[in-house]
Amino acid sequence: MKKIPIQSGGADKAADNMKKKILEAVDSISVLGNKYYVSPTGCDKNDGLSPERPIKSYKQIAELDLKENDSVLFERNGVFRTDGMIWLKNGVSYGAYGSGKKPLILGSVRNYADFSIWSETENGIWKTTLKNAAPSIITFDNDSYIGCQKYSIDDICEDGDFFFNNEESVLYLKFGGGNPGNAFSDIEIGTADNAGRSHFNHDIVVENLCFKYFCVGAFNFAESRDITVSNCVFGWSGGRIFDIDAVRKIPSRYGNAIEFWHLAENVTVKSCYIYQQFDAALTFQGFGEETPCFKNIRFEENLIEYCSMNIEFWTRNGDDGDIAHISDILYKGNIVRFGGYGWAGK
């Protein structure tokens, strides 16, 4: 079980001020169409068209008849858990309403600090059944400690080591301090890949939301344009297994907080706090049948800490042989700190 040390650097005061500004940002989405409300106290049989009749679950958003200029608003101080993603829609804004902290959208479907769901096998190894996809991240006591994923049950040897048996849908966790459901007040197991995806979409706004415990990352925007993400928080995500080397048996793992794939134009990520991401905080990358093109991309005034990589980009020429195009890229006013010192690094 690993405790991530808190680092100190020359930008401490500036980083604290930037974080405070992001966390306290006010809601600014202006809506011409319908407003759909989502609240932990709602009901999925509601139409969601007023704060008095909100829907409840994250998955129910997929059932809404969203059109351009509509918005989906999550109640502040609310916690929304999901084992799956939603497809972001053209011209739709996603944000917050009410007062208090930013809404929490979590890729962990429950708090697993429940003694009744754990049973001991042998030698301090405990097991629980997961009905969702394989996990890539486990944190304990409100992210005070992080688990370490292993790739066979024989590799489990230290407290916090875990292995997921896909055939059994069973998670095995080493912990010598008794039933982990009793020992910790909070255990989060990330099983959802993404919070949202966009493919061939445009004019999407995401504002004032917080995303944690996703096995890949919060958003994958593929071949999309006119995208704005602002005043959001992204943390403790990534680490999904991509492939396992057939010879060395070493897994490749990945997971970017916000990724723009293959084609992206007129996109802005501004005033976001991104931390503890296994892979990159922000990236535009990729290839496809069409010539890759990344144009007018703005990463401004973001605070990035404890990520494996901070800002990444890469591409290759198109399958048609044309040369990839990258132009009008702006990185401005970002504070980037402690790369490689997060949960996936030192």
Side-chain angles (χ1 to χ4, degrees), residues 23-318:
L23 295 178
E24 296 178 355
V26 299
D27 302 319
S28 64
I29 290 176
S30 178
V31 181
L32 299 176
N34 288 325
K35 294 182 181 179
Y36 291 92
Y37 296 87
V38 192
S39 169
T41 61
C43 174
D44 283 342
K45 293 182 180 180
N46 290 341
D47 59 19
L49 287 171
S50 73
E52 292 73 35
R53 291 185 55 81
I55 62 172
K56 181 175 183 177
S57 68
Y58 190 78
K59 278 188 172 181
Q60 187 63 22
I61 296 169
E63 304 302 318
L64 299 176
D65 185 23
L66 295 171
K67 295 181 170 49
E68 291 195 33
N69 296 317
D70 287 349
S71 68
V72 177
L73 303 177
F74 297 84
E75 186 175 18
R76 284 178 174 270
N77 288 327
V79 177
F80 306 88
R81 296 178 177 271
T82 179
D83 60 359
M85 65 167 194
I86 60 173
W87 286 98
L88 304 176
K89 298 294 185 69
N90 289 336
V92 175
S93 299
Y94 302 83
Y97 76 96
S99 60
K101 295 181 179 179
K102 298 181 193 294
L104 274 173
I105 300 172
L106 308 180
S108 170
V109 298
R110 62 167 295 176
N111 181 353
Y112 291 85
D114 177 351
F115 77 94
S116 68
I117 65 172
W118 296 93
S119 60
E120 190 172 14
T121 59
E122 59 181 1
N123 300 323
I125 296 178
W126 298 79
K127 69 177 183 178
T128 189
T129 300
L130 297 181
K131 298 179 181 179
N132 321 104
S136 69
I137 183 171
I138 302 178
T139 75
F140 304 87
D141 278 354
N142 299 304
D143 311 327
S144 296
Y145 302 92
I146 185 78
C148 182
Q149 184 174 15
K150 301 296 181 178
Y151 308 104
S152 92
I153 196 166
D154 295 332
D155 293 332
I156 293 178
C157 58
E158 297 181 359
D159 281 1
D161 288 355
F162 69 92
F163 166 71
F164 182 73
N165 187 309
N166 285 285
E167 295 180 358
E168 300 176 350
S169 296
V170 171
L171 173 79
Y172 294 89
L173 172 69
K174 173 74 171 179
F175 184 66
N179 189 315
N182 282 328
F184 300 101
S185 62
D186 174 77
I187 302 175
E188 301 293 349
I189 303 177
T191 53
D193 275 352
N194 294 103
R197 291 188 180 179
S198 163
H199 193 193
F200 291 111
N201 292 112
H202 60 83
D203 296 291
I204 294 170
V205 173
V206 183
E207 175 191 274
N208 272 330
L209 301 176
C210 179
F211 302 88
K212 297 174 71 175
Y213 315 126
F214 288 90
C215 293
V216 178
F219 295 115
N220 177 278
F221 295 98
E223 299 169 312
S224 300
R225 60 179 175 82
D226 300 303
I227 309 295
T228 300
V229 182
S230 65
N231 292 309
C232 290
V233 176
F234 306 87
W236 297 104
S237 291
R240 171 65 77 209
I241 295 176
F242 177 72
D243 196 5
I244 297 181
D245 187 288
V247 177
R248 296 183 297 164
K249 306 299 182 182
I250 298 175
S252 298
R253 300 172 70 183
Y254 73 112
N256 305 309
I258 308 176
E259 174 181 297
F260 298 94
W261 178 262
H262 183 201
L263 303 169
E265 184 173 358
N266 302 331
V267 302
T268 297
V269 180
K270 184 174 182 179
S271 299
C272 290
Y273 176 38
I274 308 172
Y275 69 106
Q276 297 293 0
Q277 184 71 29
F278 181 92
D279 208 334
L282 300 172
T283 180
F284 58 93
Q285 58 174 260
F287 55 88
E289 293 182 2
E290 295 183 51
T291 303
C293 179
F294 301 100
K295 183 178 181 181
N296 191 24
I297 293 176
R298 302 289 188 263
F299 296 157
E300 301 180 67
E301 299 174 16
N302 301 290
L303 174 59
I304 301 172
E305 300 180 316
Y306 303 102
C307 297
S308 299
M309 291 180 287
N310 302 309
I311 298 175
E312 171 197 30
F313 71 90
W314 62 268
T315 186
R316 74 180 194 195
N317 292 339

